């Protein structure tokens, strides 16, 4: 047996704990079974309990599986063993959550049996798969987040665990609650469009859930490899970005609907690029927040580039750097598409959108710079400070800036001012950042 | 690329060349060059913040060098960190244990995590427990052990897979005198069994008991060092004699690390009879020897002499 999994089982599944969990689950279900018909039955209670155990509690256990090792100073010992990163990853993921999975599995028959009776074995099997995948996705995203957070050497383990839990829970429910399969058919759209294909929403959501769970597990493996001092290279993250861009680009019709009067058929490519760009930018913001942005790593990269070892530097780029670069490329492609086909989109000439788009790119470049710059000041709070500055810049200041909004946001009415302001701010911020990074060399 | 095998048929178990390591705010190690011979105990000494712990973590392939390289038994820590991890034992200065597990389970986990097969685990666990004197406490919970016993368990975990190299960072900190003596005996027995040990410590008197080589780290550099294969002798003269330094330098089997007209500190490579011969030679040469014997504080003297010299520079 995987030693890490076994160690977790020793700690998590002591006989007394097993009995306690079994007793707790059956007591809750017994109470709801005896409840009057007007109140929710055991099926509802089992579902709620399953989510409480597997998602809410499970995400915490998954996050703490690494965070506690750091806190208790056992992580160095773990890193110095012979366990393969994959075995270490799944040993932690499923070992640390074995107790809550035990409780969750006890709930499953009470959830699945009604579906089996009302909708047949295939739907019951699909329902079971979705429930398990939601649990695995939530826990693996939580573990992935914790593996990224510990690289920042952040000392507030409670806050880290909370952040991991939140990301895990969001991931679990990003594809809907359990109702996504068993909701009454009349309440659901018959089909929806993705890459011009009419798809069954339930099947699409289930497949999406499975694919994103696989990516999350792959992400955990990569993060674990980094912890065990193995390098990853950029290719898997680039493949994920390509997948994410293509996946989100398929929702172009959703984006087109948000722009009144847009000729979707004519500008489908533009909307796809825009949807892809938004997803890439989101990944850049997310990873810029999560990853360590170590000034030493920057110095090392600069040293490699100055020494002409470009390939070595490219292979060592962090995920946020790749997302940042991919966003820039996607935005430039979008600007090129506007330039090639200057027909109006929703009543605005496409060519008039180029400057605001490039202004948005400038603001994006500046924003990422905030995360790097603030990290040079504080390893502990730099990322939160940068996120706070962005909230002020995008939410608070525009409400009081009046006509000066162009200095903060891409504007259709004053595109040149916004463009100039964005890139001036970005250039100044990055110059300051690089000076700080290089100056700190002892 | 074919993977090279870990080898102990080397003149240096650890080879460090031009090593540089940076933290975001400072350069912790700056151009460190060092060779550690196999089968020896090397003491890493230096003031707080000198870079000892960082150097040990780099040797353990827990950190990646900014520049330069470290090879452990012929394996490059940057290129093959996992191969290095599997082959060494490391005890950090602040370590933790799985308090919810028994001593036996802690050691079983350590053995299995280091790739020992099921057939090897039980023997390895018993050997490690006996080595550190925990054989009678295998079923006790790690969380209930005293500080000294926790230290022993941590060492047992680090050596359960019988590594060829053991790195210990402040291993005797917080131990009582009896536990320190047992700890010194343990390290010597491991060395006699063929293991290479690198020990970082502030307790110079204790290092003197078992170290074969001392390396002084200061301000991220190797500030000095010496080998201690032999007995440290103190020679004092009742009447100062300027010939003493040259006389001692001319004797075989002696390494002089401090000498002036009134006395000297030397490392004597020979046995007891040779020492007697040396004393006779000194007296015969006309030196008024007032004190001749083992020096229990030679390492400390050497350390402070080197550190003072560095500070003056």
């Amino acid at each position: 047996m995987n030693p890490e999994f076994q160690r977790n089982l020793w700690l998590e599944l002591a006989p007394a704990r097993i009995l306690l969990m079994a007793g707790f689950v059956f007591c809750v279900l017994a109470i709801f079974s005896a409840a009057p018909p007007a109140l929710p039955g055991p099926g509802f209670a089992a579902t709620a309990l399953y989510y409480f155990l597997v998602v809410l509690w499970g995400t915490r256990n998954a996050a703490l599986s690494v965070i506690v090792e750091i806190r208790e100073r056992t992580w160095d010992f773990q890193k110095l063993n012979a366990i393969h990163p994959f075995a270490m990853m799944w040993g932690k993921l499923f070992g640390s959550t074995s107790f809550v999975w035990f409780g969750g599995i006890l709930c499953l028959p009470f959830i699945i049996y009604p579906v089996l009776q009302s909708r047949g074995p295939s739907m019951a099997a699909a329902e079971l798969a979705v429930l398990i995948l939601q649990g695995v996705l939530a826990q693996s995203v939580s573990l992935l987040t914790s593996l990224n957070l510990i690289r920042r050497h952040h000392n507030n383990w409670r806050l880290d665990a909370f952040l991991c839990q939140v990301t895990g829970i969001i991931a679990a429910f990003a594809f809907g609650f359990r109702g996504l399969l068993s909701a009454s058919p009349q309440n659901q759209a018959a089909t929806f469009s993705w890459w011009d294909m009419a798809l069954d929403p339930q099947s699409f959501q289930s497949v999406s859930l499975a694919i994103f769970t696989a990516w999350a597990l792959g992400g955990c493996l990569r993060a674990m490899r980094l912890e065990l001092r193995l390098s990853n290279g950029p290719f898997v993250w680039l493949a994920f970005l390509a997948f994410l861009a293509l996946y989100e680009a398929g929702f172009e019709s959703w984006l087109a609907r948000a722009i009144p009067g847009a000729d979707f058929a004519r500008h489908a490519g533009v909307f796809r690029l825009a949807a892809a760009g938004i997803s890439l930018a989101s990944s850049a913001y997310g990873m810029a927040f999560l990853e360590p942005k170590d000034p030493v790593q920057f110095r090392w990269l600069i040293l490699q580039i100055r020494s002409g070892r470009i390939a070595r530097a490219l292979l060592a780029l962090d995920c946020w750097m790749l997302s940042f670069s991919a966003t820039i490329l996607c935005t430039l492609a979008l600007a090129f598409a506007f330039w090639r086909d200057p027909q109006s989109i929703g009543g605005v000439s496409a060519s008039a959108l180029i400057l605001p788009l490039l202004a948005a790119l400038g603001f994006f470049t500046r924003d990422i710079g905030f995360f790097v710059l603030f990290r040079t000041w504080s390893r502990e709070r730099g990322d939160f400070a940068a996120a706070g500055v962005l909230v002020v810049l995008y939410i608070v200041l525009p409400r009081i800036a009046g006509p000066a909004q162009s200095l903060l946001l891409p504007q259709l009415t004053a595109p040149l001012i916004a463009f100039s302001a964005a890139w001036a701010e970005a250039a100044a911020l990055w110059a300051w950042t690089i000076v700080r990074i290089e100056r700190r060399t002892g | 690329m074919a993977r090279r095998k870990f080898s102990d048929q080397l003149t240096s178990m650890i080879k460090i060349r031009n090593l540089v390591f940076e933290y975001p705010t400072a350069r912790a190690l700056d151009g460190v060059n060092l060779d550690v011979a196999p089968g020896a105990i090397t003491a890493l000494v230096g003031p707080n913040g000198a870079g000892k712990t960082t150097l040990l973590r780099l040797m353990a392939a827990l950190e990646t060098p900014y520049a330069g390289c470290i090879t452990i038994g012929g394996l490059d820590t940057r290129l093959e960190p996992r191969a290095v991890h599997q082959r060494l034992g490391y005890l950090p200065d602040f370590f933790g244990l799985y308090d919810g597990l028994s001593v036996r389970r802690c050691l079983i986990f350590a053995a299995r995590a280091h790739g020992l097969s099921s057939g090897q685990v039980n023997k390895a666990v018993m050997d490690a427990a006996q080595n550190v004197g925990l054989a009678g406490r295998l079923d006790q919970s790690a969380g209930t052990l005293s500080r000294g016993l926790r230290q022993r368990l941590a060492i047992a975990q680090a050596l359960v897979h019988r590594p060829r190299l053991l790195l210990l960072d402040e291993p005797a900190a917080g131990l009582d005198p009896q536990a320190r003596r047992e700890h010194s005996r343990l390290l010597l027995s491991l060395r006699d069994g063929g293991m290479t040990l690198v020990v970082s410590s502030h307790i110079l008197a204790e290092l003197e008991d078992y170290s074969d080589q001392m390396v002084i780290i200061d301000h991220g550099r190797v500030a000095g060092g010496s080998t201690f294969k032999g007995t440290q002798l103190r020679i004092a003269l009742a009447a100062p004699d300027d010939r003493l330094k040259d006389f001692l330098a001319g004797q075989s089997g002696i390494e002089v690390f401090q000498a002036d007209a009134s006395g000297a500190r030397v490392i004597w490579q020979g046995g007891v009879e040779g020492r007697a011969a040396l004393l006779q030679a000194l007296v015969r040469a006309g030196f008024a020897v007032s004190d001749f014997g083992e020096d229990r504080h030679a390492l400390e003297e050497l350390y402070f002499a080197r550190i003072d010299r560095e500070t003056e520079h």
Side-chain angles (χ1 to χ4, degrees), chain B residues 7-50:
Chain B
S7 169
D8 51 0
Q9 305 297 313
L10 297 163
T11 51
S12 294
M13 173 60 82
I14 302 172
K15 195 178 284 186
I16 300 176
R17 294 291 176 268
N18 303 316
L19 181 68
V20 178
F21 184 80
E22 288 192 357
Y23 288 113
T25 51
R27 180 164 281 194
L29 295 172
D30 191 7
V32 171
N33 289 288
L34 181 64
D35 286 275
V36 172
I41 301 179
T42 300
L44 277 186
V45 295
N48 286 333

Side-chain angles (χ1 to χ4, degrees), chain B residues 74-92:
Chain B
L75 298 170
D76 190 317
T77 58
R78 187 198 290 272
L79 300 176
E80 297 172 83
R82 292 301 281 161
V84 173
H85 291 164
Q86 290 164 27
R87 288 159 174 82
L88 56 78
Y90 172 59
L91 179 68

Side-chain angles (χ1 to χ4, degrees), chain A residues 1 3-4 6-7 10 69 72-74 76-83 228-229 296 299-300 440-441, chain B residues 22-25 57 60-62 64 66 81-82 85-86 90 94-96 98 105 109-110 112-114:
Chain A
M1 188 190 285
E4 177 58 18
Q6 185 179 50
R7 183 186 68 81
W10 282 336
E69 299 263 16
E72 302 293 330
R73 299 177 184 278
T74 49
D76 278 345
F77 172 72
Q78 285 271 43
K79 288 199 274 190
L80 285 169
N81 61 35
I83 301 176
L228 301 183
R229 314 310 307 172
V296 179
R299 284 182 217 137
W300 184 84
R440 287 166 77 94
T441 305
Chain B
E22 288 192 357
Y23 288 113
T25 51
R57 291 182 63 79
L62 286 170
T64 307
Y66 183 79
R82 292 301 281 161
H85 291 164
Q86 290 164 27
Y90 172 59
F94 297 105
F95 62 87
Y98 295 111
R105 281 186 165 177
F109 169 65
R112 297 208 52 228
H114 278 103

Side-chain angles (χ1 to χ4, degrees), chain B:
Chain B
M1 185 177 73
R3 285 194 163 226
R4 283 171 301 158
K5 282 187 179 165
F6 187 82
S7 169
D8 51 0
Q9 305 297 313
L10 297 163
T11 51
S12 294
M13 173 60 82
I14 302 172
K15 195 178 284 186
I16 300 176
R17 294 291 176 268
N18 303 316
L19 181 68
V20 178
F21 184 80
E22 288 192 357
Y23 288 113
T25 51
R27 180 164 281 194
L29 295 172
D30 191 7
V32 171
N33 289 288
L34 181 64
D35 286 275
V36 172
I41 301 179
T42 300
L44 277 186
V45 295
N48 286 333
K52 303 185 298 292
T53 295
T54 303
L55 183 56
L56 280 176
R57 291 182 63 79
L58 282 155
M59 288 178 190
L62 286 170
E63 307 286 353
T64 307
Y66 183 79
C69 75
I70 305 178
T71 55
I72 304 288
L75 298 170
D76 190 317
T77 58
R78 187 198 290 272
L79 300 176
E80 297 172 83
R82 292 301 281 161
V84 173
H85 291 164
Q86 290 164 27
R87 288 159 174 82
L88 56 78
Y90 172 59
L91 179 68
D93 49 354
F94 297 105
F95 62 87
L97 298 170
Y98 295 111
D99 289 341
L101 297 182
S102 65
V103 171
R104 186 190 305 277
R105 281 186 165 177
C106 283
L107 292 175
I108 289 173
F109 169 65
R112 297 208 52 228
H114 278 103
L116 269 62
S117 67
S118 307
Q120 298 171 308
V121 166
N122 285 339
K123 184 174 183 322
V125 166
M126 281 313 295
D127 286 350
Q130 276 166 356
N131 258 332
V132 299
L134 283 176
R137 297 176 185 269
L138 282 171
D139 295 315
Q140 190 173 338
S141 166
T144 63
L145 296 177
S146 66
R147 182 178 170 82
L149 293 176
R150 288 174 71 79
Q151 192 89 6
R152 290 194 210 178
L153 176 55
I155 293 175
Q157 286 186 159
L159 56 82
V160 70
H161 58 300
R162 295 225 142 260
R164 303 303 303 155
L165 173 64
L166 188 59
L167 308 173
L168 305 165
D169 196 356
E170 301 289 349
L175 298 185
D176 59 41
Q178 175 66 22
R180 276 187 194 165
R181 180 180 289 181
E182 288 170 10
H183 169 74
S184 298
R185 282 188 194 141
L186 170 64
L187 298 194
L188 286 169
S189 73
L190 292 172
R191 183 200 60 185
D192 294 344
M195 199 177 279
T196 306
L197 296 99
V198 180
V199 185
S200 153
S201 179
H202 282 110
I203 308 163
L204 298 177
E206 171 213 301
L207 288 175
E208 214 159 345
D209 290 341
Y210 54 73
S211 61
D212 303 306
Q213 181 186 12
M214 179 181 74
V215 176
I216 300 171
I217 306 288
D218 192 24
H219 292 99
R221 292 170 179 271
V222 175
S226 186
T227 53
F228 293 106
K229 291 245 167 137
T231 312
Q232 296 139 42
L233 295 180
R234 183 183 66 255
I235 301 164
L237 302 184
D241 192 328
D242 291 336
R243 296 175 300 140
L244 180 63
K245 190 173 180 181
D246 291 337
F247 177 83
L248 290 172
Q251 301 294 312
S252 61
I254 282 184
E255 184 190 341
V256 182
F257 62 83
Q258 188 243 315
D260 55 28
S262 59
R265 292 174 192 281
V266 302
I267 295 173
W268 171 248
Q269 306 287 1
V272 185
E273 288 162 6
R275 270 166 63 181
L278 174 62
L279 178 58
Q280 277 179 358
L282 281 163
V283 173
R284 213 178 295 136
F287 292 103
V289 180
S290 62
D291 192 3
F292 183 94
E294 279 194 35
D295 187 358
R296 300 298 300 165
H297 301 289
L299 186 63
E300 208 164 277
E301 295 282 341
L302 177 60
Y303 171 76
F304 285 117
R306 290 277 158 80
I307 290 292
D308 289 347
R309 200 184 308 157
E310 281 295 308
T311 310
E312 282 166 19
H313 288 170

